[in-house]
Amino acid sequence: FTATGGVGIEQCEKCPEGFFSSSPGASTCFACQPGKYTNPDQTKCLQCAAGKISGVAAPLCTACDRGKYAEGEGNVECKFCDDE
């Protein structure tokens, strides 16, 4: 993306961590939604894997604490394990 209104691709800057832009030379970066993180090229958001969570504009997903879980992909919070 270009934050400075540049006229050439060489004046473009990477989006901040946790943000993405799907088109080169775009004037805006967008935040990844909760449960997602940016890919290495910062061109799209990917869902967090099972057992991991993220908040808004996350550059990566974090694992659930011991005694908690996040089932499936794209989670925003971990749940406590039942003591059954």
Side-chain angles (χ1 to χ4, degrees), residues 16-19 32 36-40 42 54-62:
E17 287 190 348
F19 290 77
C32 287
K36 297 184 177 188
Y37 68 101
T38 50
N39 69 332
Q42 293 174 273
S54 74
V56 176
L60 51 88
C61 300
T62 56

Side-chain angles (χ1 to χ4, degrees), residues 1-79:
F1 97 108
T2 176
T4 59
V7 294
I9 195 78
E10 66 278 351
Q11 294 173 325
C12 291
E13 302 172 9
K14 281 186 93 172
C15 292
E17 287 190 348
F19 290 77
F20 75 99
S21 177
S22 58
S23 55
S27 61
T28 305
C29 292
F30 300 96
C32 287
Q33 297 297 312
K36 297 184 177 188
Y37 68 101
T38 50
N39 69 332
D41 294 337
Q42 293 174 273
T43 56
K44 62 183 173 181
C45 297
L46 305 171
Q47 288 192 344
C48 293
K52 295 188 175 191
I53 60 168
S54 74
V56 176
L60 51 88
C61 300
T62 56
C64 293
D65 292 333
R66 181 179 215 133
K68 293 184 177 184
Y69 73 99
E71 193 172 23
E73 296 180 331
N75 289 288
V76 297
E77 66 181 3
C78 297
K79 299 176 184 177

